[in-house]
Amino acid sequence: IATPGSVNSPSNVAGSFVFAFDIDGVLVRGGKPIPEAIKAMQVLNGDNEYGLRIPHIFLTNGGGKTEEQRCKDLSGQLKQDVKPGQFICGHTPMREMAERYKTVLVIGGEGETCRNVAEGYGFKDVVTPGDIIKHDAATTPFRKLTDEEHANSRTRDFSDVVIDAVFVFADSRDWAGDIQIMLDVAMSKGGVLSERSETFDEGPPFYFSHNDVVWSAAHEHVRLGMGALRRMFEITFKDITGGKGELHTHAFGKPQVPTFEFAYRLMGQWRRTEHGLVKPPQTVYFVGDTPESDIRGTNAVNEKAENEWYSILVKTGVYEEGTEPAYQPRVTVDTVLDAVNHGIQREM
Ligand code: G3P
Ligand code: MG
């Protein structure tokens, strides 16, 4: 039995276990907190019968803002201070690729935000769809830049620009225009928009910050996500190249095991700096609403890791009660508050 304040852990901090939370459909829905989430955070912060503070981090596939801004938003929603040291979003691991590519096209998000995020990660030369449309308005027949977009987009002659990689940072706000531009790049000769490949296998790699086909937003039914954009892009590419081309697409985010390993490293730093814990936790409780991302990934990392990864599915998001989840969690509960209480009861 794990005890609070066990060996190597400061008193009243849980040393043997840790929680990790998905955000959309678990803590937040359509920008509003799920009511039980606020109480769940209080329980983690010591409002439980043991007076125990339980280390926890957040791991969302969402993105589109800097980690600092997302933490600010989440702090307001959950009424607790959330810090970048305990937060990972879909595009966070992309920062490790800033040195690898010189010129990158960044897709998704509001206005210039994703360009700013990419530059903040250290990417040296960041292009947006707006820059391409500003250079040649005929690129997207039905998308005209607003005056603001026109002013913010950079003037550039693309005839000799080599796009080395494409990063889809956040959900597209203009699927038709963005898919068109992604196809143009994919069908180009080595990422030069003015040169078409004859073989359609010379395009740069495409990285998506996650692969969720649907996600849980304000609507009663799930909404289309980045995985759906990826499918449309891949299928359309196949159709218009007659199946002869070749795309290089990759996804970050859950359920990829490296994303969970990245989260584990962050969790280690967070437990050390925030709570003074040195010994690794025996169990990581992961609370999610999407079987294909959250449960699949947690179960997969559990197979590989030395410690236990325990998957908890909640009913407040993508998973619908009465259906068979594609990946089986260790336990299914109603809300995130039940998930936290379940973990505590199992430990104490
Ligand atoms: O776009 C965000 C969505 O696909 C999932 O977010 O927090 O459920 O991983 P989350
Ligand atoms: Mg979710």
Side-chain angles (χ1 to χ4, degrees), residues 57-319:
I57 65 158
F58 303 89
L59 176 57
T60 177
N61 274 353
K65 293 180 181 174
T66 61
E67 284 78 1
E68 287 74 15
Q69 188 55 51
R70 289 284 316 233
C71 286
K72 244 184 165 172
D73 297 347
L74 197 57
S75 301
Q77 287 155 340
L78 298 180
K79 303 191 195 335
Q80 81 144 4
D81 201 17
V82 177
K83 300 196 182 117
Q86 62 184 146
F87 182 88
I88 298 171
C89 65
H91 45 66
T92 306
M94 288 176 171
R95 67 157 66 116
E96 294 184 337
M97 302 184 92
E99 292 300 314
R100 195 185 299 179
Y101 300 109
K102 185 172 156 266
T103 301
V104 298
L105 169 65
V106 164
I107 306 276
E110 298 287 340
E112 291 291 290
T113 320
C114 285
R115 177 168 11 225
N116 297 337
V117 175
E119 288 175 346
Y121 286 171
F123 284 100
K124 282 171 210 69
D125 184 19
V126 182
V127 170
T128 67
D131 300 348
I132 294 169
I133 299 170
K134 187 171 186 174
H135 167 70
D136 181 1
T139 303
T140 51
F142 303 116
R143 181 177 174 202
K144 308 270 170 272
L145 297 182
T146 62
D147 290 346
E148 194 190 342
E149 285 170 338
H150 196 269
N152 288 334
S153 298
R154 296 178 187 169
T155 305
R156 185 159 190 177
D157 178 2
F158 277 89
S159 54
D160 56 0
V161 172
V162 179
I163 294 171
D164 296 308
V166 180
F167 287 86
V168 184
F169 262 54
D171 285 304
S172 168
R173 303 314 199 249
D174 171 41
W175 286 44
D178 285 348
I179 291 176
Q180 179 66 68
I181 289 169
M182 289 161 72
L183 288 168
D184 285 341
V185 176
M187 293 164 73
S188 72
K189 214 177 172 110
V192 180
L193 280 167
S194 56
E195 293 175 27
R196 277 264 144 148
S197 170
E198 281 170 22
T199 50
F200 301 129
D201 60 356
E202 301 170 273
F206 286 73
Y207 297 96
F208 294 79
S209 66
H210 66 83
N211 197 33
D212 289 344
V213 176
V214 293
W215 64 297
S216 176
H219 197 274
E220 61 173 314
H221 297 298
V222 292
R223 301 290 91 185
L224 291 179
M226 194 185 291
L229 180 94
R230 180 184 179 181
R231 294 274 295 156
M232 290 179 194
F233 167 57
E234 289 174 344
I235 289 168
T236 316
F237 177 82
K238 217 169 161 188
D239 285 349
I240 61 180
T241 61
K244 71 170 179 171
E246 204 189 323
L247 271 183
H248 306 281
T249 57
H250 314 270
F252 287 80
K254 300 166 289 180
Q256 309 297 326
V257 168
T259 298
F260 286 83
E261 290 168 345
F262 187 94
Y264 188 64
R265 293 198 291 277
L266 179 104
M267 197 183 276
Q269 279 165 20
W270 176 251
R271 288 172 82 254
R272 237 183 345 268
T273 53
E274 185 72 13
H275 299 288
L277 297 168
V278 180
K279 234 174 114 184
Q282 284 154 25
T283 303
V284 180
Y285 291 94
F286 194 93
V287 188
D289 69 308
T290 306
E292 288 77 3
S293 304
D294 303 316
I295 307 306
R296 180 181 188 178
T298 307
N299 292 351
V301 74
N302 183 54
E303 294 281 307
K304 274 187 77 182
E306 280 179 6
N307 50 6
E308 178 189 45
W309 284 70
Y310 187 97
S311 52
I312 306 182
L313 181 62
V314 294
K315 301 178 185 170
T316 47
V318 169
Y319 167 70

